[in-house]
Coordinates of all heavy atoms in Angstrom, one line a residue:
R3 N -66.4 -134.6 -76.5 CA -65.1 -133.9 -76.4 C -65.4 -132.4 -76.3 O -66.5 -131.9 -76.6 CB -64.2 -134.1 -77.6 CG -63.8 -135.6 -77.8 CD -62.8 -135.6 -78.9 NE -63.3 -135.2 -80.2 CZ -62.6 -135.1 -81.3 NH1 -61.4 -135.5 -81.3 NH2 -63.2 -134.7 -82.4
E4 N -64.4 -131.7 -75.8 CA -64.5 -130.2 -75.9 C -64.1 -129.7 -77.2 O -63.4 -130.4 -78.0 CB -63.5 -129.6 -74.8 CG -63.9 -129.8 -73.4 CD -63.0 -129.1 -72.4 OE1 -61.9 -128.7 -72.8 OE2 -63.4 -129.0 -71.2
A5 N -64.7 -128.5 -77.6 CA -64.2 -127.8 -78.8 C -63.5 -126.5 -78.3 O -64.1 -125.7 -77.6 CB -65.5 -127.5 -79.6
W6 N -62.3 -126.4 -78.7 CA -61.5 -125.3 -78.3 C -61.4 -124.2 -79.4 O -61.3 -124.5 -80.6 CB -60.0 -125.8 -78.0 CG -59.9 -126.5 -76.8 CD1 -60.8 -126.8 -75.8 CD2 -58.7 -127.2 -76.3 NE1 -60.3 -127.6 -74.8 CE2 -58.9 -127.8 -75.1 CE3 -57.4 -127.3 -76.8 CZ2 -58.0 -128.5 -74.3 CZ3 -56.4 -127.9 -76.1 CH2 -56.7 -128.6 -74.9
I7 N -61.5 -123.0 -78.9 CA -61.2 -121.8 -79.8 C -59.7 -121.5 -79.7 O -59.2 -121.2 -78.6 CB -62.1 -120.6 -79.5 CG1 -63.6 -120.9 -79.5 CG2 -61.7 -119.4 -80.4 CD1 -64.4 -119.8 -79.1
I8 N -59.0 -121.6 -80.8 CA -57.6 -121.4 -80.9 C -57.3 -119.9 -81.2 O -56.4 -119.3 -80.7 CB -56.9 -122.3 -81.9 CG1 -57.3 -123.8 -81.6 CG2 -55.4 -122.1 -81.9 CD1 -56.9 -124.3 -80.2
I47 N -51.3 -123.1 -89.8 CA -52.2 -124.2 -90.1 C -51.8 -125.1 -91.3 O -51.4 -124.5 -92.3 CB -53.6 -123.6 -90.4 CG1 -54.1 -122.8 -89.2 CG2 -54.6 -124.7 -90.7 CD1 -55.4 -122.0 -89.5
R48 N -51.9 -126.4 -91.1 CA -51.7 -127.3 -92.2 C -53.1 -127.4 -92.9 O -53.9 -128.1 -92.5 CB -51.3 -128.7 -91.7 CG -49.9 -128.7 -91.0 CD -49.5 -130.1 -90.7 NE -48.2 -130.2 -90.1 CZ -47.9 -130.2 -88.8 NH1 -49.0 -130.1 -87.9 NH2 -46.7 -130.2 -88.3
E50 N -54.2 -128.7 -95.4 CA -54.7 -129.9 -96.0 C -55.3 -130.8 -94.9 O -56.0 -131.8 -95.2 CB -53.5 -130.7 -96.6 CG -52.5 -131.2 -95.6 CD -51.4 -130.2 -95.3 OE1 -51.6 -129.0 -95.6 OE2 -50.4 -130.6 -94.6
E51 N -55.2 -130.4 -93.6 CA -55.8 -131.1 -92.5 C -57.1 -130.5 -92.0 O -57.7 -131.0 -91.1 CB -54.8 -131.3 -91.4 CG -53.5 -132.1 -91.8 CD -52.5 -132.2 -90.6 OE1 -52.8 -131.8 -89.5 OE2 -51.5 -132.8 -90.9
V52 N -57.5 -129.4 -92.6 CA -58.7 -128.7 -92.2 C -59.9 -129.6 -92.7 O -60.1 -129.9 -93.9 CB -58.8 -127.3 -92.8 CG1 -60.2 -126.7 -92.5 CG2 -57.7 -126.4 -92.3
D53 N -60.7 -130.1 -91.7 CA -61.8 -130.9 -92.1 C -62.9 -130.2 -92.8 O -63.6 -130.7 -93.7 CB -62.4 -131.5 -90.8 CG -61.5 -132.5 -90.1 OD1 -61.0 -133.4 -90.9 OD2 -61.2 -132.4 -88.9
D54 N -63.1 -128.9 -92.5 CA -64.2 -128.1 -93.1 C -64.0 -126.7 -92.8 O -63.5 -126.3 -91.8 CB -65.6 -128.6 -92.7 CG -66.6 -128.5 -93.8 OD1 -66.3 -128.0 -94.9 OD2 -67.7 -128.9 -93.5
V55 N -64.4 -125.8 -93.8 CA -64.6 -124.4 -93.6 C -66.1 -124.1 -93.7 O -66.7 -124.3 -94.7 CB -63.8 -123.6 -94.7 CG1 -64.1 -122.1 -94.6 CG2 -62.3 -123.9 -94.7
I56 N -66.6 -123.8 -92.5 CA -68.1 -123.5 -92.4 C -68.3 -122.0 -92.4 O -67.9 -121.4 -91.5 CB -68.7 -124.2 -91.2 CG1 -68.4 -125.7 -91.2 CG2 -70.2 -124.0 -91.2 CD1 -68.9 -126.4 -89.9
L102 N -71.9 -124.9 -85.3 CA -71.8 -126.1 -86.1 C -70.4 -126.6 -86.1 O -70.2 -127.9 -86.0 CB -72.3 -125.8 -87.5 CG -73.8 -125.6 -87.7 CD1 -74.2 -125.3 -89.1 CD2 -74.6 -126.8 -87.2
A103 N -69.4 -125.8 -86.2 CA -68.0 -126.2 -86.1 C -67.8 -126.9 -84.8 O -67.1 -128.0 -84.7 CB -67.1 -125.0 -86.3
A104 N -68.2 -126.2 -83.7 CA -68.0 -126.8 -82.4 C -68.7 -128.2 -82.2 O -68.2 -129.1 -81.7 CB -68.5 -125.8 -81.3
A105 N -69.9 -128.2 -82.7 CA -70.7 -129.5 -82.6 C -70.0 -130.6 -83.4 O -70.0 -131.8 -82.9 CB -72.1 -129.3 -83.2
S106 N -69.5 -130.3 -84.5 CA -68.8 -131.4 -85.3 C -67.6 -131.9 -84.6 O -67.2 -133.1 -84.6 CB -68.5 -130.9 -86.7 OG -67.5 -129.9 -86.7
I107 N -66.9 -131.0 -83.9 CA -65.7 -131.4 -83.1 C -66.1 -132.1 -81.8 O -65.6 -133.2 -81.5 CB -64.9 -130.2 -82.8 CG1 -64.2 -129.6 -84.1 CG2 -63.8 -130.5 -81.7 CD1 -63.6 -128.2 -83.9
M108 N -67.1 -131.6 -81.1 CA -67.6 -132.2 -79.9 C -68.1 -133.6 -80.1 O -68.1 -134.5 -79.2 CB -68.6 -131.4 -79.2 CG -68.0 -130.0 -78.7 SD -69.2 -128.8 -78.3 CE -69.7 -129.4 -76.7
S109 N -68.7 -133.9 -81.3 CA -69.2 -135.2 -81.6 C -68.1 -136.2 -81.9 O -68.4 -137.4 -82.0 CB -70.2 -135.1 -82.9 OG -69.4 -134.9 -84.0
G110 N -66.9 -135.8 -82.2 CA -65.8 -136.6 -82.5 C -65.7 -136.9 -84.0 O -64.8 -137.7 -84.4
M111 N -66.5 -136.3 -84.8 CA -66.5 -136.5 -86.2 C -65.4 -135.7 -86.9 O -64.9 -136.1 -88.0 CB -67.8 -136.2 -86.9 CG -69.0 -137.0 -86.4 SD -68.8 -138.8 -87.0 CE -68.2 -139.5 -85.4
E112 N -65.0 -134.6 -86.4 CA -63.9 -133.7 -87.0 C -63.0 -133.2 -85.9 O -63.4 -133.2 -84.7 CB -64.6 -132.6 -87.8 CG -65.4 -133.1 -89.0 CD -66.1 -132.0 -89.8 OE1 -66.3 -131.0 -89.3 OE2 -66.3 -132.3 -91.0
D113 N -61.8 -132.8 -86.4 CA -60.8 -132.3 -85.4 C -60.4 -130.9 -85.6 O -59.9 -130.2 -84.7 CB -59.5 -133.2 -85.5 CG -59.7 -134.5 -84.9 OD1 -59.9 -134.6 -83.7 OD2 -59.7 -135.6 -85.6
L114 N -60.5 -130.4 -86.9 CA -60.0 -129.0 -87.2 C -61.0 -128.4 -88.1 O -61.2 -128.8 -89.3 CB -58.6 -129.1 -87.8 CG -58.0 -127.8 -88.3 CD1 -57.8 -126.9 -87.0 CD2 -56.7 -128.1 -89.0
V115 N -61.7 -127.3 -87.7 CA -62.7 -126.7 -88.4 C -62.5 -125.2 -88.3 O -62.3 -124.6 -87.2 CB -64.1 -127.1 -88.0 CG1 -65.2 -126.4 -88.9 CG2 -64.3 -128.6 -87.9
V116 N -62.7 -124.5 -89.4 CA -62.7 -123.0 -89.4 C -64.1 -122.5 -89.7 O -64.8 -123.1 -90.6 CB -61.7 -122.5 -90.5 CG1 -61.9 -121.0 -90.7 CG2 -60.3 -122.9 -90.2
A117 N -64.5 -121.6 -88.9 CA -65.8 -121.0 -89.0 C -65.7 -119.5 -89.2 O -64.8 -118.9 -88.7 CB -66.7 -121.3 -87.8
L273 N -62.8 -117.9 -87.3 CA -62.5 -118.5 -86.0 C -61.8 -119.9 -86.3 O -62.3 -120.6 -87.1 CB -63.7 -118.7 -85.2 CG -64.6 -117.5 -84.9 CD1 -65.9 -117.9 -84.3 CD2 -63.9 -116.6 -83.9
L274 N -60.8 -120.2 -85.5 CA -60.1 -121.5 -85.7 C -60.5 -122.3 -84.5 O -60.3 -122.0 -83.3 CB -58.6 -121.3 -85.7 CG -57.8 -122.6 -85.7 CD1 -58.0 -123.4 -87.0 CD2 -56.3 -122.2 -85.6
L275 N -61.2 -123.5 -84.7 CA -61.6 -124.4 -83.7 C -61.0 -125.7 -83.9 O -60.8 -126.2 -85.0 CB -63.1 -124.5 -83.6 CG -63.9 -123.3 -83.2 CD1 -64.3 -122.5 -84.4 CD2 -65.2 -123.7 -82.4
A276 N -60.6 -126.4 -82.8 CA -60.0 -127.7 -82.9 C -60.3 -128.6 -81.7 O -60.7 -128.1 -80.6 CB -58.4 -127.5 -82.9
S277 N -60.1 -129.9 -81.8 CA -60.3 -130.8 -80.7 C -59.1 -130.7 -79.8 O -58.0 -130.3 -80.3 CB -60.4 -132.2 -81.2 OG -59.2 -132.7 -81.8
P278 N -59.2 -131.0 -78.6 CA -58.0 -130.9 -77.7 C -56.9 -131.8 -78.1 O -55.7 -131.3 -78.1 CB -58.6 -131.4 -76.3 CG -60.0 -131.1 -76.4 CD -60.5 -131.3 -77.8
D279 N -57.1 -133.0 -78.6 CA -56.0 -133.8 -79.1 C -55.3 -133.2 -80.3 O -54.0 -133.2 -80.3 CB -56.5 -135.2 -79.4 CG -56.9 -136.0 -78.2 OD1 -56.5 -135.7 -77.1 OD2 -57.6 -137.1 -78.4
Y280 N -56.0 -132.7 -81.2 CA -55.4 -132.1 -82.4 C -54.6 -130.9 -82.0 O -53.5 -130.7 -82.4 CB -56.4 -131.8 -83.5 CG -55.8 -131.3 -84.7 CD1 -55.4 -132.2 -85.7 CD2 -55.5 -130.0 -84.9 CE1 -54.8 -131.8 -86.9 CE2 -54.9 -129.5 -86.1 CZ -54.5 -130.4 -87.1 OH -53.8 -130.0 -88.2
A281 N -55.2 -130.0 -81.2 CA -54.6 -128.8 -80.8 C -53.2 -129.1 -80.0 O -52.2 -128.5 -80.3 CB -55.5 -128.0 -79.9
R282 N -53.3 -130.1 -79.1 CA -52.0 -130.4 -78.4 C -51.0 -130.9 -79.3 O -49.8 -130.6 -79.2 CB -52.3 -131.5 -77.3 CG -53.2 -130.9 -76.2 CD -53.4 -132.0 -75.1 NE -54.3 -131.6 -74.1 CZ -55.6 -132.1 -74.0 NH1 -56.0 -133.1 -74.8 NH2 -56.4 -131.7 -73.0
A283 N -51.4 -131.7 -80.3 CA -50.4 -132.2 -81.3 C -49.7 -131.1 -82.1 O -48.6 -131.2 -82.6 CB -51.1 -133.2 -82.3
Q284 N -50.4 -129.9 -82.3 CA -49.8 -128.8 -83.0 C -49.1 -127.8 -82.1 O -48.5 -126.9 -82.5 CB -50.9 -128.0 -83.7 CG -51.9 -128.8 -84.5 CD -51.2 -129.8 -85.4 OE1 -50.3 -129.4 -86.2 NE2 -51.6 -131.1 -85.4
W286 N -50.7 -126.0 -79.9 CA -51.6 -124.9 -79.8 C -52.2 -124.8 -78.3 O -52.6 -125.9 -77.8 CB -52.8 -124.9 -80.7 CG -52.4 -124.7 -82.2 CD1 -51.3 -124.1 -82.7 CD2 -53.2 -125.1 -83.3 NE1 -51.3 -124.1 -84.0 CE2 -52.5 -124.7 -84.5 CE3 -54.4 -125.8 -83.5 CZ2 -53.0 -125.0 -85.7 CZ3 -54.9 -126.0 -84.7 CH2 -54.2 -125.6 -85.9

Side-chain angles (χ1 to χ4, degrees):
R3 299 187 298 178
E4 291 185 344
W6 286 357
I7 301 176
I8 307 301
I47 300 172
R48 297 184 178 95
E50 69 276 9
E51 296 180 3
V52 173
D53 292 308
D54 213 356
V55 175
I56 305 179
L102 290 177
S106 66
I107 291 169
M108 294 166 76
S109 71
M111 295 295 102
E112 295 179 334
D113 285 295
L114 179 62
V115 185
V116 171
L273 305 165
L274 177 62
L275 292 92
S277 67
D279 287 346
Y280 186 89
R282 293 187 188 104
Q284 311 311 307
W286 293 338

